Structure formats: structure tokens, C-alpha cells
Amino acid sequence: MKALQKNATVSDWILYGFGKLPIAVSMIAILMSYHTCGTVGLIISAFFYYFMLCTMVQDCIDQLIYYPVIFIKDYFIKGEKPTLNLSLTPIHLHFSLFLLWLLICGCNLPCSIEWARNFHHSKYLDPDPSWISSVVLNTCAGILWQMDIPKRNIKCYAGLSDFCVATSVILFVFCQTALFRVTPILTIVFVVITLHQYISSWIGGVRDLNDRQVNHTNVN
């Protein structure tokens, strides 16, 4: 890790700490949404999401760069052929969610502009159309950032894919001239993905365990 090297900067240590405890970023973003504007919390999380994606890509690049050295070492010295455990699926999923996050930030950008214009009158934006979405999205992000996603070997994964496709069609048909509908629809998408990855995996694991127990009982 770069943060553990001697030439590490303060920002490296901060990013390393937040990377180990991403829930802290979502909590800070929620607090900022309460005390300033919901879009401010979304922008804070967007910056962290960007750095997290950069870290994931850097880890993959490091594996690709050092794999030839490891291959030569293990193959010619130990007589073993090492395998390259490189999975780009988490990067693809997080990058897609990051793009949706940026789209939500763009739709709520007028709220932050209005908050900045009236900051000398009040540090709060009242009413704040982006507040609910910011709290919900940062809560979902705090859960997703701590999970090893995507978990595909769980129930209703195909249904989740169909739901996302249907949502994209709805956005394309009904939201071209009504941008105020984009944020709540994409917020629902984040909530559904979070619930599916967090809850369905546990429920599916319990069901699979029960099925194995029943089959074992029948065999006996």
C-alpha cells in the first residue's frame, strides 16, 4: 500500500483510512446533507467513489504488471504455474453505479447553486429537493462500499437485471423532458440493488443450507 510507504503524503493516509472504513465517508456526507445541502453530500461521496475506483483499477494494474515476475519465479524455481486471479466484474459494477451517481449529482446541481447563492442568508437550503435522495443514497453507499459485490450466485439476480433494464426504458421514455423524475427513479435503483446484494445473499444462503440439510436427511 502506498500509504504504508515512507514517502506517503497526508492525503494518502486519509484515503487509506477512509478506504478501511468507508462507512465514515457516508456518515460525513449525510451530516453535510443535514447541515448544508443534499447535493453537497452527494458530491463528497462522488469524490470518494472516484478515488475508490482508482484504487481498484490500480490494484488490477499492479497484478498485471507483477504477474510475469511471479510467473517466472514460481514456474522456474518452484515448478508451479501461478494463476492470475483477476476479476473486472466489481470494477464494472462500481463504475456503472458511479456514472449513475454522477447523473444524480448533475440533476441536483441547481440545488447546490441555489444553496451557495443564499449561503450568507442561511446555511441551510429550505426546501431542499435533494436532501432525501442524498440521505438514502449515502446510506446505500455505506453498505455497498463495505461489501464484496456483485454476488451473482444468489436468488433473483436475473430479476434484478430485468428490473434495471425496465428502469432504463422508463428513464428513456418519460424523463427526457422531465429531469425531476431521474433522481427518485435512480434512487430506487440504488435501494433495490443494495437490498438485493445485502439481504438476498443472506436469505439465499440460509435456503441453500436448509436444502442441503433436507437432502442429507433424505439420503440417510
Side-chain angles (χ1 to χ4, degrees), residues 53-81:
L53 279 172
C54 291
T55 303
M56 296 174 66
V57 174
Q58 182 181 2
D59 292 339
C60 291
I61 294 176
D62 290 340
Q63 292 185 39
L64 291 174
I65 292 176
Y66 290 110
Y67 178 73
V69 179
I70 298 175
F71 180 85
I72 294 174
K73 177 183 176 182
D74 292 346
Y75 186 78
F76 291 100
I77 297 178
K78 299 181 180 179
E80 301 176 354
K81 185 177 180 180

mmCIF file of all heavy atoms in Angstrom, residues 53-81:
data_model
loop_
_atom_site.group_PDB
_atom_site.id
_atom_site.type_symbol
_atom_site.label_atom_id
_atom_site.label_comp_id
_atom_site.label_asym_id
_atom_site.label_seq_id
_atom_site.Cartn_x
_atom_site.Cartn_y
_atom_site.Cartn_z
ATOM 1 N N LEU A 53 -12.599 3.865 -7.005
ATOM 2 C CA LEU A 53 -12.462 3.223 -8.311
ATOM 3 C C LEU A 53 -11.013 3.263 -8.795
ATOM 4 O O LEU A 53 -10.514 2.283 -9.367
ATOM 5 C CB LEU A 53 -13.376 3.912 -9.326
ATOM 6 C CG LEU A 53 -14.842 3.500 -9.318
ATOM 7 C CD1 LEU A 53 -15.644 4.411 -10.247
ATOM 8 C CD2 LEU A 53 -15.006 2.054 -9.751
ATOM 9 N N CYS A 54 -10.348 4.381 -8.577
ATOM 10 C CA CYS A 54 -8.936 4.477 -8.963
ATOM 11 C C CYS A 54 -8.095 3.444 -8.221
ATOM 12 O O CYS A 54 -7.179 2.838 -8.794
ATOM 13 C CB CYS A 54 -8.410 5.884 -8.687
ATOM 14 S SG CYS A 54 -9.107 7.166 -9.752
ATOM 15 N N THR A 55 -8.408 3.233 -6.949
ATOM 16 C CA THR A 55 -7.678 2.236 -6.172
ATOM 17 C C THR A 55 -7.924 0.833 -6.703
ATOM 18 O O THR A 55 -6.994 0.013 -6.801
ATOM 19 C CB THR A 55 -8.095 2.318 -4.697
ATOM 20 O OG1 THR A 55 -7.867 3.641 -4.210
ATOM 21 C CG2 THR A 55 -7.296 1.334 -3.856
ATOM 22 N N MET A 56 -9.172 0.537 -7.062
ATOM 23 C CA MET A 56 -9.487 -0.783 -7.606
ATOM 24 C C MET A 56 -8.773 -1.021 -8.933
ATOM 25 O O MET A 56 -8.222 -2.105 -9.174
ATOM 26 C CB MET A 56 -11.001 -0.916 -7.779
ATOM 27 C CG MET A 56 -11.788 -0.864 -6.484
ATOM 28 S SD MET A 56 -13.579 -0.853 -6.741
ATOM 29 C CE MET A 56 -13.826 -2.476 -7.454
ATOM 30 N N VAL A 57 -8.762 -0.009 -9.786
ATOM 31 C CA VAL A 57 -8.071 -0.146 -11.071
ATOM 32 C C VAL A 57 -6.567 -0.289 -10.862
ATOM 33 O O VAL A 57 -5.895 -1.080 -11.544
ATOM 34 C CB VAL A 57 -8.391 1.064 -11.970
ATOM 35 C CG1 VAL A 57 -7.561 1.018 -13.243
ATOM 36 C CG2 VAL A 57 -9.874 1.090 -12.315
ATOM 37 N N GLN A 58 -6.026 0.462 -9.913
ATOM 38 C CA GLN A 58 -4.595 0.375 -9.636
ATOM 39 C C GLN A 58 -4.209 -1.015 -9.146
ATOM 40 O O GLN A 58 -3.158 -1.545 -9.520
ATOM 41 C CB GLN A 58 -4.201 1.425 -8.597
ATOM 42 C CG GLN A 58 -2.709 1.449 -8.286
ATOM 43 C CD GLN A 58 -2.355 2.488 -7.248
ATOM 44 O OE1 GLN A 58 -3.222 3.176 -6.724
ATOM 45 N NE2 GLN A 58 -1.072 2.599 -6.949
ATOM 46 N N ASP A 59 -5.052 -1.625 -8.323
ATOM 47 C CA ASP A 59 -4.769 -2.980 -7.847
ATOM 48 C C ASP A 59 -4.744 -3.976 -9.009
ATOM 49 O O ASP A 59 -3.883 -4.871 -9.052
ATOM 50 C CB ASP A 59 -5.817 -3.404 -6.817
ATOM 51 C CG ASP A 59 -5.707 -2.607 -5.527
ATOM 52 O OD1 ASP A 59 -4.627 -2.037 -5.274
ATOM 53 O OD2 ASP A 59 -6.704 -2.537 -4.781
ATOM 54 N N CYS A 60 -5.677 -3.822 -9.948
ATOM 55 C CA CYS A 60 -5.688 -4.712 -11.116
ATOM 56 C C CYS A 60 -4.455 -4.515 -11.982
ATOM 57 O O CYS A 60 -3.854 -5.483 -12.474
ATOM 58 C CB CYS A 60 -6.953 -4.475 -11.939
ATOM 59 S SG CYS A 60 -8.483 -5.004 -11.143
ATOM 60 N N ILE A 61 -4.054 -3.263 -12.155
ATOM 61 C CA ILE A 61 -2.858 -2.986 -12.959
ATOM 62 C C ILE A 61 -1.614 -3.552 -12.283
ATOM 63 O O ILE A 61 -0.719 -4.108 -12.946
ATOM 64 C CB ILE A 61 -2.721 -1.471 -13.194
ATOM 65 C CG1 ILE A 61 -3.883 -0.968 -14.063
ATOM 66 C CG2 ILE A 61 -1.383 -1.146 -13.854
ATOM 67 C CD1 ILE A 61 -3.896 0.528 -14.264
ATOM 68 N N ASP A 62 -1.548 -3.434 -10.959
ATOM 69 C CA ASP A 62 -0.403 -3.998 -10.234
ATOM 70 C C ASP A 62 -0.325 -5.508 -10.417
ATOM 71 O O ASP A 62 0.772 -6.067 -10.570
ATOM 72 C CB ASP A 62 -0.508 -3.658 -8.748
ATOM 73 C CG ASP A 62 -0.278 -2.175 -8.479
ATOM 74 O OD1 ASP A 62 0.311 -1.509 -9.354
ATOM 75 O OD2 ASP A 62 -0.693 -1.690 -7.410
ATOM 76 N N GLN A 63 -1.467 -6.171 -10.404
ATOM 77 C CA GLN A 63 -1.461 -7.621 -10.621
ATOM 78 C C GLN A 63 -0.961 -7.969 -12.020
ATOM 79 O O GLN A 63 -0.199 -8.928 -12.190
ATOM 80 C CB GLN A 63 -2.867 -8.182 -10.415
ATOM 81 C CG GLN A 63 -3.363 -8.121 -8.980
ATOM 82 C CD GLN A 63 -4.713 -8.788 -8.814
ATOM 83 O OE1 GLN A 63 -4.985 -9.825 -9.406
ATOM 84 N NE2 GLN A 63 -5.577 -8.186 -8.016
ATOM 85 N N LEU A 64 -1.389 -7.189 -13.015
ATOM 86 C CA LEU A 64 -0.947 -7.459 -14.386
ATOM 87 C C LEU A 64 0.547 -7.191 -14.558
ATOM 88 O O LEU A 64 1.242 -7.908 -15.289
ATOM 89 C CB LEU A 64 -1.748 -6.598 -15.364
ATOM 90 C CG LEU A 64 -3.234 -6.945 -15.526
ATOM 91 C CD1 LEU A 64 -3.920 -5.919 -16.417
ATOM 92 C CD2 LEU A 64 -3.405 -8.342 -16.099
ATOM 93 N N ILE A 65 1.049 -6.155 -13.898
ATOM 94 C CA ILE A 65 2.464 -5.804 -14.051
ATOM 95 C C ILE A 65 3.363 -6.830 -13.368
ATOM 96 O O ILE A 65 4.388 -7.254 -13.924
ATOM 97 C CB ILE A 65 2.717 -4.387 -13.492
ATOM 98 C CG1 ILE A 65 2.023 -3.342 -14.383
ATOM 99 C CG2 ILE A 65 4.218 -4.102 -13.411
ATOM 100 C CD1 ILE A 65 2.134 -1.930 -13.863
ATOM 101 N N TYR A 66 2.986 -7.241 -12.155
ATOM 102 C CA TYR A 66 3.841 -8.139 -11.387
ATOM 103 C C TYR A 66 3.609 -9.614 -11.709
ATOM 104 O O TYR A 66 4.362 -10.467 -11.227
ATOM 105 C CB TYR A 66 3.619 -7.923 -9.887
ATOM 106 C CG TYR A 66 4.157 -6.603 -9.395
ATOM 107 C CD1 TYR A 66 3.291 -5.586 -9.010
ATOM 108 C CD2 TYR A 66 5.524 -6.367 -9.321
ATOM 109 C CE1 TYR A 66 3.770 -4.369 -8.566
ATOM 110 C CE2 TYR A 66 6.018 -5.154 -8.873
ATOM 111 C CZ TYR A 66 5.139 -4.155 -8.495
ATOM 112 O OH TYR A 66 5.622 -2.955 -8.061
ATOM 113 N N TYR A 67 2.589 -9.917 -12.516
ATOM 114 C CA TYR A 67 2.321 -11.326 -12.821
ATOM 115 C C TYR A 67 3.465 -11.997 -13.577
ATOM 116 O O TYR A 67 3.815 -13.142 -13.263
ATOM 117 C CB TYR A 67 1.020 -11.453 -13.610
ATOM 118 C CG TYR A 67 0.705 -12.872 -14.011
ATOM 119 C CD1 TYR A 67 0.266 -13.795 -13.070
ATOM 120 C CD2 TYR A 67 0.869 -13.295 -15.331
ATOM 121 C CE1 TYR A 67 -0.013 -15.106 -13.431
ATOM 122 C CE2 TYR A 67 0.594 -14.598 -15.700
ATOM 123 C CZ TYR A 67 0.151 -15.499 -14.751
ATOM 124 O OH TYR A 67 -0.119 -16.792 -15.112
ATOM 125 N N PRO A 68 4.084 -11.351 -14.592
ATOM 126 C CA PRO A 68 5.218 -12.023 -15.257
ATOM 127 C C PRO A 68 6.358 -12.364 -14.305
ATOM 128 O O PRO A 68 6.972 -13.433 -14.419
ATOM 129 C CB PRO A 68 5.655 -11.001 -16.316
ATOM 130 C CG PRO A 68 4.435 -10.195 -16.586
ATOM 131 C CD PRO A 68 3.745 -10.089 -15.257
ATOM 132 N N VAL A 69 6.637 -11.473 -13.352
ATOM 133 C CA VAL A 69 7.711 -11.750 -12.393
ATOM 134 C C VAL A 69 7.336 -12.930 -11.506
ATOM 135 O O VAL A 69 8.154 -13.834 -11.256
ATOM 136 C CB VAL A 69 7.990 -10.496 -11.541
ATOM 137 C CG1 VAL A 69 9.084 -10.782 -10.519
ATOM 138 C CG2 VAL A 69 8.380 -9.321 -12.434
ATOM 139 N N ILE A 70 6.097 -12.936 -11.034
ATOM 140 C CA ILE A 70 5.642 -14.046 -10.192
ATOM 141 C C ILE A 70 5.612 -15.349 -10.987
ATOM 142 O O ILE A 70 5.955 -16.421 -10.469
ATOM 143 C CB ILE A 70 4.250 -13.724 -9.611
ATOM 144 C CG1 ILE A 70 4.331 -12.476 -8.721
ATOM 145 C CG2 ILE A 70 3.707 -14.902 -8.815
ATOM 146 C CD1 ILE A 70 2.980 -12.011 -8.210
ATOM 147 N N PHE A 71 5.223 -15.255 -12.257
ATOM 148 C CA PHE A 71 5.164 -16.453 -13.097
ATOM 149 C C PHE A 71 6.554 -17.060 -13.281
ATOM 150 O O PHE A 71 6.745 -18.276 -13.155
ATOM 151 C CB PHE A 71 4.559 -16.096 -14.457
ATOM 152 C CG PHE A 71 4.462 -17.260 -15.398
ATOM 153 C CD1 PHE A 71 3.378 -18.114 -15.348
ATOM 154 C CD2 PHE A 71 5.468 -17.504 -16.330
ATOM 155 C CE1 PHE A 71 3.289 -19.194 -16.215
ATOM 156 C CE2 PHE A 71 5.389 -18.574 -17.196
ATOM 157 C CZ PHE A 71 4.291 -19.422 -17.139
ATOM 158 N N ILE A 72 7.534 -16.213 -13.586
ATOM 159 C CA ILE A 72 8.908 -16.706 -13.781
ATOM 160 C C ILE A 72 9.452 -17.301 -12.487
ATOM 161 O O ILE A 72 10.092 -18.366 -12.478
ATOM 162 C CB ILE A 72 9.811 -15.569 -14.287
ATOM 163 C CG1 ILE A 72 9.366 -15.128 -15.685
ATOM 164 C CG2 ILE A 72 11.271 -16.003 -14.299
ATOM 165 C CD1 ILE A 72 10.103 -13.911 -16.203
ATOM 166 N N LYS A 73 9.176 -16.640 -11.381
ATOM 167 C CA LYS A 73 9.680 -17.116 -10.093
ATOM 168 C C LYS A 73 9.083 -18.467 -9.725
ATOM 169 O O LYS A 73 9.801 -19.404 -9.338
ATOM 170 C CB LYS A 73 9.375 -16.082 -9.015
ATOM 171 C CG LYS A 73 9.788 -16.512 -7.622
ATOM 172 C CD LYS A 73 9.390 -15.465 -6.598
ATOM 173 C CE LYS A 73 9.724 -15.935 -5.191
ATOM 174 N NZ LYS A 73 9.304 -14.933 -4.173
ATOM 175 N N ASP A 74 7.757 -18.592 -9.831
ATOM 176 C CA ASP A 74 7.099 -19.835 -9.422
ATOM 177 C C ASP A 74 7.317 -20.960 -10.434
ATOM 178 O O ASP A 74 7.439 -22.129 -10.054
ATOM 179 C CB ASP A 74 5.595 -19.597 -9.232
ATOM 180 C CG ASP A 74 5.301 -18.697 -8.048
ATOM 181 O OD1 ASP A 74 6.219 -18.487 -7.242
ATOM 182 O OD2 ASP A 74 4.161 -18.198 -7.935
ATOM 183 N N TYR A 75 7.370 -20.613 -11.718
ATOM 184 C CA TYR A 75 7.456 -21.660 -12.744
ATOM 185 C C TYR A 75 8.856 -22.260 -12.830
ATOM 186 O O TYR A 75 9.020 -23.479 -12.947
ATOM 187 C CB TYR A 75 7.043 -21.088 -14.098
ATOM 188 C CG TYR A 75 6.955 -22.124 -15.193
ATOM 189 C CD1 TYR A 75 5.857 -22.977 -15.273
ATOM 190 C CD2 TYR A 75 7.970 -22.250 -16.138
ATOM 191 C CE1 TYR A 75 5.772 -23.933 -16.274
ATOM 192 C CE2 TYR A 75 7.893 -23.202 -17.137
ATOM 193 C CZ TYR A 75 6.793 -24.037 -17.204
ATOM 194 O OH TYR A 75 6.712 -24.987 -18.189
ATOM 195 N N PHE A 76 9.873 -21.409 -12.773
ATOM 196 C CA PHE A 76 11.236 -21.906 -12.951
ATOM 197 C C PHE A 76 11.905 -22.293 -11.639
ATOM 198 O O PHE A 76 12.861 -23.065 -11.642
ATOM 199 C CB PHE A 76 12.092 -20.851 -13.664
ATOM 200 C CG PHE A 76 11.707 -20.642 -15.100
ATOM 201 C CD1 PHE A 76 10.917 -19.569 -15.464
ATOM 202 C CD2 PHE A 76 12.125 -21.524 -16.079
ATOM 203 C CE1 PHE A 76 10.553 -19.366 -16.788
ATOM 204 C CE2 PHE A 76 11.765 -21.328 -17.407
ATOM 205 C CZ PHE A 76 10.980 -20.255 -17.763
ATOM 206 N N ILE A 77 11.443 -21.749 -10.526
ATOM 207 C CA ILE A 77 12.067 -22.067 -9.238
ATOM 208 C C ILE A 77 11.269 -23.125 -8.487
ATOM 209 O O ILE A 77 11.812 -24.135 -8.033
ATOM 210 C CB ILE A 77 12.212 -20.785 -8.387
ATOM 211 C CG1 ILE A 77 13.153 -19.793 -9.089
ATOM 212 C CG2 ILE A 77 12.750 -21.128 -6.995
ATOM 213 C CD1 ILE A 77 13.318 -18.481 -8.348
ATOM 214 N N LYS A 78 9.957 -22.903 -8.371
ATOM 215 C CA LYS A 78 9.122 -23.839 -7.625
ATOM 216 C C LYS A 78 8.498 -24.918 -8.496
ATOM 217 O O LYS A 78 7.963 -25.895 -7.986
ATOM 218 C CB LYS A 78 8.012 -23.076 -6.893
ATOM 219 C CG LYS A 78 8.530 -22.066 -5.878
ATOM 220 C CD LYS A 78 7.371 -21.367 -5.189
ATOM 221 C CE LYS A 78 7.872 -20.351 -4.171
ATOM 222 N NZ LYS A 78 6.739 -19.648 -3.500
ATOM 223 N N GLY A 79 8.530 -24.717 -9.813
ATOM 224 C CA GLY A 79 7.925 -25.695 -10.703
ATOM 225 C C GLY A 79 6.415 -25.651 -10.724
ATOM 226 O O GLY A 79 5.762 -26.624 -11.109
ATOM 227 N N GLU A 80 5.841 -24.540 -10.325
ATOM 228 C CA GLU A 80 4.395 -24.374 -10.305
ATOM 229 C C GLU A 80 3.995 -23.254 -11.252
ATOM 230 O O GLU A 80 4.738 -22.291 -11.449
ATOM 231 C CB GLU A 80 3.903 -24.051 -8.886
ATOM 232 C CG GLU A 80 4.243 -25.117 -7.855
ATOM 233 C CD GLU A 80 3.823 -24.706 -6.465
ATOM 234 O OE1 GLU A 80 3.375 -23.539 -6.319
ATOM 235 O OE2 GLU A 80 3.954 -25.520 -5.533
ATOM 236 N N LYS A 81 2.804 -23.398 -11.817
ATOM 237 C CA LYS A 81 2.282 -22.373 -12.719
ATOM 238 C C LYS A 81 1.253 -21.540 -11.973
ATOM 239 O O LYS A 81 0.160 -22.018 -11.663
ATOM 240 C CB LYS A 81 1.648 -23.014 -13.952
ATOM 241 C CG LYS A 81 1.190 -21.998 -14.985
ATOM 242 C CD LYS A 81 0.625 -22.686 -16.214
ATOM 243 C CE LYS A 81 0.170 -21.652 -17.243
ATOM 244 N NZ LYS A 81 -0.394 -22.297 -18.451
#
